[in-house]
């Protein structure tokens, strides 16, 4: 059996990353979603061990000290990290491992894992992203403005990635994402 591929996926908030990955990750045989650790409080409906491994600041620091993270970063005041242990186990089992992380963490993986592939999911434009973030109607304008600035910053990292899927139309974005994964699977390892 051939090894799976390590695939890092980043996208600014509001790009539909969750929806795209949600569809793709239904194929549990082909994909393993790496569940990150975070110090952020669970949102409604989020389950410990499924969406994230929720940790206290102290537990997180302890894991950093133990060198348990492949990468970790602070995002909007909370810590997030990818635990190293399960990754190679799933790659060796032939599954593609998806790391859904922000750009600073992705840059760390670039240094540490030459076998990783990098996919960016982008909005069609910043205006569309602004509309999408506003359209959620759940956040006040100040938070939306902060998110737009954060999104702009993250978009500037796009050129560090190997592939970019533009989410203009969800169906097309899913099919493009699967095309990228297929290309990664067929790549000849150097
Ligand atoms: P949220 O709090 O909205 O679930 O995630 C905030 C950001 O943290 C998203 O961009 C998400 O991709 C990123 N993120 C989630 N898990 C990790 C992780 O393990 N490492 C890093 N560096 N970023 C993560």
């Amino acid at each position: 059996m051939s090894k799976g591929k390590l695939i890092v996926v980043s996208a600014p908030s509001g790009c539909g990353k969750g929806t795209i990955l949600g569809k793709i990750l239904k194929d549990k045989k082909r994909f393993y979603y790496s569940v990150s650790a975070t110090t952020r409080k669970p949102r409604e409906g989020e389950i410990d061990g499924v969406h994230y491994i929720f940790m206290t600041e102290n537990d997180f620091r302890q894991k950093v000290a133990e060198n348990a993270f492949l990468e970790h970063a602070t995002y909007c005041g909370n810590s997030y990290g990818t635990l190293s242990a399960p990754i190679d186990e799933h790659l060796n089992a032939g599954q593609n491992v998806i790391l859904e992380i922000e750009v600073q963490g992705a840059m760390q993986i670039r240094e540490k894992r030459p076998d990783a592939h990098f996919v960016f999911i982008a909005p069609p434009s910043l205006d569309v992203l602004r509309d999408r973030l506003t359209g959620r109607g759940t956040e006040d304008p100040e938070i939306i403005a902060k998110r737009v600035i954060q999104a702009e910053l993250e978009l500037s990292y796009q050129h560090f990635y190997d592939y970019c899927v533009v989410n203009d139309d969800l169906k097309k974005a899913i099919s493009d994402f699967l095309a990228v994964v297929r290309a990664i699977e067929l790549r000849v390892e150097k």
Side-chain angles (χ1 to χ4, degrees):
M1 184 213 307
S2 59
K3 262 183 85 168
K5 304 287 182 172
L6 181 56
I7 304 175
V8 175
V9 184
S10 302
S13 133
C15 286
K17 174 181 56 178
T19 317
I20 296 172
L21 290 181
K23 292 268 181 211
I24 276 138
L25 293 166
K26 288 213 167 97
D27 189 344
K28 299 253 186 293
K29 210 168 150 231
R30 190 175 176 197
F31 297 106
Y32 168 75
Y33 178 78
S34 159
V35 180
S36 297
T38 185
T39 60
R40 162 166 88 54
K41 296 277 165 288
R43 295 191 185 119
E44 209 179 309
E46 283 183 334
I47 302 163
D48 188 29
V50 175
H51 298 94
Y52 280 105
I53 299 161
F54 294 100
M55 284 187 181
T56 62
E57 296 281 351
N58 260 346
D59 289 345
F60 197 93
R61 267 196 293 272
Q62 177 71 31
K63 291 284 177 200
V64 173
E66 287 167 7
N67 216 2
F69 290 121
L70 178 59
E71 62 72 36
H72 62 95
T74 305
Y75 181 92
C76 294
N78 295 304
S79 302
Y80 294 85
T82 304
L83 291 160
S84 303
I87 292 176
D88 285 302
E89 180 194 318
H90 287 275
L91 291 174
N92 289 332
Q95 279 175 300
N96 297 315
V97 172
I98 304 282
L99 305 187
E100 193 235 290
I101 63 178
E102 52 67 69
V103 294
Q104 306 165 70
M107 296 303 100
Q108 293 172 42
I109 305 270
R110 230 202 215 301
E111 293 297 311
K112 290 189 184 166
R113 295 288 303 229
D115 58 330
H117 304 269
F118 296 81
V119 185
F120 198 88
I121 300 175
S125 71
L126 208 56
D127 280 345
V128 170
L129 186 65
R130 197 175 287 118
D131 287 350
R132 282 185 193 163
L133 289 173
T134 315
R136 280 181 181 174
T138 48
E139 255 96 30
D140 66 46
E142 207 179 305
I143 293 180
I144 292 166
K146 271 194 191 156
R147 286 214 177 153
V148 172
I149 292 168
Q150 179 68 32
E152 250 177 305
L153 177 74
E154 288 176 38
L155 284 171
S156 72
Y157 279 82
Q158 227 179 107
H159 60 281
F160 288 110
Y161 288 70
D162 303 317
Y163 303 89
C164 182
V165 171
V166 177
N167 186 9
D168 198 354
D169 170 82
L170 184 61
K171 247 184 152 171
K172 185 172 175 299
I174 291 170
S175 123
D176 285 350
F177 191 93
L178 282 170
V180 166
V181 170
R182 191 68 192 129
I184 292 171
E185 286 173 336
L186 296 175
R187 247 182 96 91
V188 177
E189 292 300 340
K190 300 287 188 303

